[in-house]
Amino acid sequence: MARALELARAGWGRVHPNPMVGAVVVNGGRVVGEGWHAGFGEPHAEVVALRAAGEAARDATLYVTLEPCAHHGKTPPCTEAIIEAAVARVVYAVADPTVHAAGGATVLTGHGVEVEAGVRRADAIALDPAFHWMHRHSSTWVTLKLAVSLDGRLGRRTGRRSPVSGPQALAETHRLRAGFDAILIGRATVEVDDPLLTVRGDIEPRIPPVRIVFDAAARTPPQARLLATLERAPVWIVTAPGAPADRVRTLASAGARMLEAPAATGRLDIDAAFAMLWREGVRSILCEGGGRLAASMLAAGRVNRLHLFIAPIFFGAAGPPAFPLDAAAEGWTLRASRQVGRDAWLMLDRDAEAT
């Protein structure tokens, strides 16, 4: 199962809205076939692994990270391929949470296949949490990514762009972007950093993530690089109902899709904004700051996962804080950590499992 989970990761950015899935066929204690779901509309992991195994799949055990599907979609049911291959046993990590694809385990059992469920279930959910979260909660999965100094600062001085991450951490950020429906920032980040927010690296996403700006007063500069690169990915700007009409028109003329969400005391209502984005089809969001937006999301309890890239530098008290919180935001668990070039990377999840 550990190998199946490793294989599944190869589908990052290419299979959405399908889940990432890996599969391994074992016969006589020997791996005879492997596979993963490589792209939306392409064969599922089980089928790829069974094809690789050939006749060796007979009486074998199939390990797969997700319950095999039992429905006709863009491809035939995986249960049919498993039964036709005469697999003796199927071990899967987590049940399929979708209404249309679930029930594969029951079908297999009915055809005499031994089935075992729940092996490394938590790891399988953590592998593709947005897929499980959205189908079980009808809510957008939100990941917050921040690059900070050792003293928890986003830059050297407020209002001035300061490089934080090393090249390897920047490359990892592009890899992260490839697996989300949307990339989110606040208006101040547009003004200070003027980012592109496109995916540039080894992974070309099947659908480029939408670039979203939370900007209650529609102050995003119309000459921003986001709006000069619309051929690479769409730009949505979320404003408050009272945003000046002339600014809204200017940004719409520059090519942005203008959306509204309720606001209070000059700031967008985070819960209402995310509910609106869910209705617009956004199922997963990678937020890249800045500090005030990050703090608002954390305070509202709308961050499910946190990626922190910590650079080995100190910016000092003049730098803007990464987390200008007014209250404690507790309940986080460290899931993974490693060195990424010169930087340290931490991944933390809220304690609530995505089920």
Side-chain angles (χ1 to χ4, degrees):
M1 189 62 76
R3 176 59 177 163
L5 289 164
E6 180 183 356
L7 291 167
R9 293 184 179 93
W12 179 258
R14 300 298 304 163
V15 301
H16 184 75
N18 287 351
M20 295 182 290
V21 181
V24 176
V25 183
V26 177
N27 199 334
R30 182 173 62 92
V31 172
V32 295
E34 294 183 340
W36 66 89
H37 186 33
F40 181 73
E42 297 183 22
H44 290 184
E46 301 95 314
V47 173
V48 176
L50 290 171
R51 287 175 181 172
E55 286 300 316
R58 179 174 294 274
D59 296 325
T61 296
L62 171 68
Y63 294 86
V64 61
T65 57
L66 184 71
E67 177 187 15
C69 67
H71 80 299
H72 283 271
K74 289 187 175 295
T75 60
C78 291
T79 50
E80 286 187 2
I82 294 168
I83 293 165
E84 289 174 6
V87 170
R89 179 169 173 254
V90 171
V91 179
Y92 68 87
V94 62
D96 194 309
T98 63
V99 174
H100 63 279
T106 301
V107 171
L108 292 172
T109 301
H111 282 79
V113 180
E114 180 185 348
V115 176
E116 181 178 353
V119 175
R120 298 195 63 166
R121 178 178 182 274
D123 291 330
I125 292 174
L127 168 75
D128 203 350
F131 171 75
H132 293 277
W133 182 267
M134 67 181 181
H135 284 294
R136 290 189 167 102
H137 297 280
S138 298
S139 177
T140 301
W141 172 267
V142 181
T143 295
L144 173 62
K145 173 263 168 183
L146 291 175
V148 303
S149 63
L150 286 171
D151 53 346
R153 304 286 169 168
L154 294 172
R156 196 170 299 279
R157 295 193 182 281
T158 299
R160 181 182 302 175
R161 187 175 186 275
S162 303
V164 180
S165 296
Q168 290 90 342
L170 289 173
E172 183 66 14
T173 295
H174 284 289
R175 191 200 70 79
L176 276 174
R177 289 175 179 174
F180 288 84
D181 288 341
I183 313 300
L184 170 66
I185 57 173
R187 185 261 311 164
T189 300
V190 179
E191 293 182 338
V192 174
D193 293 341
D194 195 17
L196 287 172
L197 300 183
T198 53
V199 180
R200 305 183 296 280
D202 295 337
I203 302 176
E204 181 180 350
R206 189 177 73 87
I207 301 175
V210 176
R211 298 170 290 175
I212 300 176
V213 182
F214 276 8
D215 180 7
R219 292 176 179 168
T220 297
Q223 69 274 17
R225 293 200 299 167
L226 290 173
L227 295 170
T229 54
L230 291 170
E231 75 283 357
R232 301 189 189 183
V235 174
W236 297 359
I237 299 178
V238 183
T239 68
D246 57 337
R247 294 179 188 164
V248 172
R249 285 194 298 269
T250 297
L251 292 171
S253 297
R257 183 183 179 195
M258 305 304 293
L259 301 168
E260 281 190 359
T265 63
R267 294 188 180 182
L268 293 173
D269 182 299
I270 295 296
D271 286 330
F274 280 127
M276 179 269 294
L277 292 174
W278 171 266
R279 292 191 296 270
E280 294 292 334
V282 177
R283 301 296 181 253
S284 61
I285 289 176
L286 176 65
C287 177
E288 297 193 24
R292 282 182 294 180
L293 176 57
S296 296
M297 290 167 51
L298 288 166
R302 291 311 304 256
V303 178
N304 301 99
R305 174 166 287 180
L306 176 61
H307 287 275
L308 277 182
F309 291 91
I310 305 173
I313 52 178
F314 290 91
F315 282 139
F323 303 105
L325 297 171
D326 295 327
E330 301 178 0
W332 292 89
T333 299
L334 179 66
R335 297 297 187 196
S337 63
R338 60 184 168 90
Q339 187 169 345
V340 181
R342 64 162 201 181
D343 302 316
W345 166 76
L346 307 178
M347 185 180 78
L348 303 98
D349 286 345
R350 288 173 61 186
D351 282 345
E353 186 186 29
T355 56

